[in-house]
Amino acid sequence: MVNSVIEEDVTVEGNITSSKGSVEVRGRVVGDLSAQAVTVHEGGTVDGALTAQSVTVEGTYSGKIQCEDLRLAASSQVQADVSAQSMATESGAQLQGNIRISGKGTGA
């Protein structure tokens, strides 16, 4: 799997798509992000829709999340509408929005 990193000093304005890889955000993304896996690191910010199999938020996120597995770290600040199969939230994580967890094994 290919790993792309948006470093701390980088701001990307626009949509990002990685069809076969993961994207790590240490800086700022203003736009939609689609990848196999997305990690918003502590200090990182994303404003836009996230679509991925796996999403981990340690930083700040605002938008809409659609994924299979969502993990929110204690340092995360999330304002989003969430649609996921499973979600793990560490104590201290902040989450505002609509949440729909479908559970695993519901697919045909």
Side-chain angles (χ1 to χ4, degrees):
M1 180 162 38
V2 178
N3 188 31
S4 301
V5 180
I6 314 290
E7 290 295 346
E8 288 105 352
D9 63 337
V10 176
T11 297
V12 176
E13 293 185 12
N15 298 336
I16 299 171
T17 302
S18 176
S19 60
K20 296 182 180 178
S22 67
V23 176
E24 293 185 33
V25 179
R26 299 176 186 276
R28 180 164 187 203
V29 174
V30 179
D32 298 345
L33 208 158
S34 176
Q36 291 289 321
V38 174
T39 301
V40 181
H41 287 280
E42 193 167 355
T45 303
V46 175
D47 294 308
L50 281 183
T51 305
Q53 287 182 348
S54 172
V55 173
T56 300
V57 181
E58 300 169 354
T60 304
Y61 175 77
S62 176
K64 179 180 179 182
I65 299 174
Q66 185 168 351
C67 64
E68 290 180 16
D69 297 305
L70 175 62
R71 182 182 159 272
L72 301 179
S75 56
S76 65
Q77 296 180 358
V78 177
Q79 186 169 358
D81 288 337
V82 175
S83 177
Q85 286 185 4
S86 66
M87 183 172 85
T89 306
E90 292 180 1
S91 179
Q94 297 178 23
L95 173 62
Q96 278 187 324
N98 297 314
I99 303 165
R100 184 177 154 266
I101 307 301
S102 62
K104 293 190 183 245
T106 59

